[in-house]
Amino acid sequence: MKKEDYLQPCDYHFSQDSILFAKYLGSKQFSCNLSILDIGCGCGVIGIELTRIINNVKNLHLVELQPEFEPYIRHNIDKFSRASQNNLFISDISEINLDRKFELIVLNPPYFEEGSGRL
């Protein structure tokens, strides 16, 4: 998958680093029926790529604070995710009751200094 394949807003573009990060994580050994949590998922690229690289991803939970990303995430989930179950939360992570365990939690923070750039 290439970054150009994903739908994303015109004022936000994730880098190839997201794809490479998912490939790196996907090269590790994980158990079957894996549950993944992607915090601050942006357009959902890392979590979705992990479902494509790692066999038997049971649950993908994507959390994004900015509501303007929701249509892009939903489109990308529908088109690319191979998880048995996908859950999207448009909320602050502290406001979500995640009463489960995850085998893999990813967080790829934005690359700008606090107070600059977008929210």
Side-chain angles (χ1 to χ4, degrees):
M1 201 48 52
K2 298 177 293 192
K3 72 180 196 105
E4 294 81 15
D5 294 331
Y6 282 92
L7 190 62
Q8 54 189 324
C10 61
D11 62 342
Y12 164 83
H13 295 280
F14 61 88
S15 69
Q16 191 67 26
D17 292 352
S18 297
I19 305 292
L20 295 174
F21 182 50
K23 285 182 180 178
Y24 169 77
L25 290 174
S27 70
K28 305 302 175 190
Q29 295 293 320
F30 294 100
S31 64
C32 293
N33 298 320
L34 186 68
S35 290
I36 298 173
L37 173 62
D38 185 351
I39 303 170
C41 69
C43 294
V45 176
I46 294 173
I48 293 169
E49 280 296 301
L50 288 169
T51 71
R52 298 174 57 78
I53 296 167
I54 301 171
N55 292 328
N56 299 318
V57 175
K58 183 176 181 183
N59 296 299
L60 174 61
H61 297 267
L62 299 165
V63 180
E64 176 54 50
L65 180 63
Q66 300 179 82
E68 60 266 27
F69 283 88
E70 183 173 3
Y72 302 98
I73 301 166
R74 290 199 185 281
H75 170 85
N76 293 333
I77 286 171
D78 291 344
K79 190 165 183 184
F80 301 117
S81 180
R82 292 186 180 158
S84 301
Q85 181 179 5
N86 298 282
N87 298 293
L88 173 59
F89 302 94
I90 304 296
S91 178
D92 186 301
I93 187 71
S94 65
E95 297 173 5
I96 301 170
N97 181 14
L98 295 170
D99 57 349
R100 62 176 307 130
K101 291 183 180 180
F102 297 93
E103 287 77 31
L104 180 60
I105 299 173
V106 295
L107 171 63
N108 188 20
Y111 297 94
F112 57 85
E113 291 187 33
E114 187 174 344
S116 67
R118 297 182 57 216
L119 173 63

